């Protein structure tokens, strides 16, 4: 069985520039087997389309996938390519439950990071990648941030390793309220248009 997500844009616009819009296909079984679900936008709960998801194929754009509905829980960035058994690759015990399309962005990047929640403690403004918050800013933790420009990934370990979290422009007052309890963010990277 084959499902397609709904979009408010015309089908001509969707097909004219797939790399700007993005497309990901989810499959119930490993190696692209079983029922599939095509998605070209955000999907907050995939359970209404399929009971499980064990492989996927990104045909255009970048997507953030989550192991819980409503863009919560563990996250992983999916770029163009095939993921025949993503659970082994990511070390997840659960299936993809929601996904968010990351729009292509070609402007400046700016983010303020804070040592404590609610924008407390030390504050530093970033405009480029940071492979170690501890080495660059002597901060042992980052608990809140304000993304002014661009789309970013934050990682729990230095040098862009470990679990990650996607941030788009907005205020993030408390990472623990976002399902990231117990996680410390030690490196940050911009999501660049070259990733598409």
């Amino acid at each position: 069985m084959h499902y397609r997500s709904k979009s408010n844009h015309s089908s001509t616009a969707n097909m004219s520039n797939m790399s700007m819009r993005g497309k990901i296909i989810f499959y119930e079984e490993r190696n692209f087997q079983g029922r599939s679900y095509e998605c070209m936008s955000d999907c907050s709960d995939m359970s209404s389309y399929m009971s499980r998801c064990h492989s996927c194929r990104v045909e255009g754009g970048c997507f953030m996938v989550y192991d819980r509905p409503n863009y919560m829980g563990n996250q992983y960035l999916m770029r163009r390519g095939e993921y025949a058994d993503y659970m082994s690759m990511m070390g997840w015990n659960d299936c993809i439950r929601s996904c968010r399309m990351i729009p292509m962005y070609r402007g400046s990047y700016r983010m303020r990071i804070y040592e404590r929640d609610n924008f407390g403690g030390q504050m530093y403004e970033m405009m480029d990648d940071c492979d170690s918050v501890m080495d660059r800013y002597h901060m042992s933790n980052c608990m809140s941030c304000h993304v002014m420009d661009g789309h970013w990934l934050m990682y729990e370990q230095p040098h862009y390793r470990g679990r990650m979290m996607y941030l788009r422009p907005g205020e993030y007052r408390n990472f623990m309220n976002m399902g990231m309890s117990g996680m410390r963010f030690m490196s940050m990277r911009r999501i660049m248009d070259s990733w598409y």
Side-chain angles (χ1 to χ4, degrees), residues 4-18:
R4 230 178 251 276
S5 66
K6 293 189 168 106
S7 172
N8 295 334
H9 303 285
S10 72
S11 59
T12 306
N14 284 338
M15 296 308 209
S16 67
N17 196 344
M18 188 62 70

Side-chain angles (χ1 to χ4, degrees), residues 1-3 25-38 46 49-57 82-86 95:
M1 194 166 250
H2 188 74
Y3 297 96
I25 305 169
F26 298 100
Y27 298 86
E28 282 189 329
E29 306 298 334
R30 288 171 179 80
N31 298 312
F32 319 110
Q33 302 296 310
R35 292 190 324 164
S36 66
Y37 168 61
E38 282 186 23
M46 291 178 45
Y49 302 106
M50 53 194 340
S51 60
R52 63 188 179 277
C53 173
H54 290 287
S55 59
C56 65
R57 179 179 286 127
E82 295 187 339
Y83 303 86
D85 185 6
Y86 74 83
C95 298

Side-chain angles (χ1 to χ4, degrees), residues 127-155:
M127 296 194 304
D128 61 351
D129 298 349
C130 175
D131 66 354
S132 175
V133 171
M134 179 62 104
D135 290 348
R136 186 186 289 183
Y137 302 118
H138 306 289
M139 280 176 64
S140 61
N141 207 352
C142 174
M143 299 291 294
S144 58
C145 75
H146 180 195
V147 176
M148 280 83 77
D149 298 305
H151 296 259
W152 298 74
L153 286 178
M154 297 181 84
Y155 297 82

Side-chain angles (χ1 to χ4, degrees), residues 15-134:
M15 296 308 209
S16 67
N17 196 344
M18 188 62 70
S19 65
M20 292 293 284
R21 190 73 187 121
K23 179 179 178 183
I24 188 168
I25 305 169
F26 298 100
Y27 298 86
E28 282 189 329
E29 306 298 334
R30 288 171 179 80
N31 298 312
F32 319 110
Q33 302 296 310
R35 292 190 324 164
S36 66
Y37 168 61
E38 282 186 23
C39 188
M40 295 168 68
S41 61
D42 297 352
C43 180
S44 64
D45 188 357
M46 291 178 45
S47 64
S48 58
Y49 302 106
M50 53 194 340
S51 60
R52 63 188 179 277
C53 173
H54 290 287
S55 59
C56 65
R57 179 179 286 127
V58 179
E59 294 188 353
C62 290
F63 287 83
M64 206 69 194
V65 296
Y66 303 80
D67 69 351
R68 291 175 36 202
N70 299 314
Y71 320 113
M72 300 290 282
N74 291 311
Q75 307 177 25
Y76 195 83
L77 178 73
M78 299 279 197
R79 294 162 55 171
R80 180 184 287 268
E82 295 187 339
Y83 303 86
D85 185 6
Y86 74 83
M87 289 175 67
S88 299
M89 180 185 75
M90 294 187 263
W92 284 9
N93 294 325
D94 205 353
C95 298
I96 294 172
R97 300 291 180 202
S98 56
C99 77
R100 176 165 272 155
M101 189 195 70
I102 301 173
M104 186 178 280
Y105 177 78
R106 288 194 174 123
S108 61
Y109 289 78
R110 196 162 59 113
M111 172 171 62
R112 289 187 182 139
I113 59 171
Y114 297 85
E115 182 181 30
R116 296 193 193 103
D117 61 352
N118 291 313
F119 313 125
Q122 294 181 65
M123 182 278 291
Y124 295 97
E125 189 165 302
M126 299 175 46
M127 296 194 304
D128 61 351
D129 298 349
C130 175
D131 66 354
S132 175
V133 171
M134 179 62 104

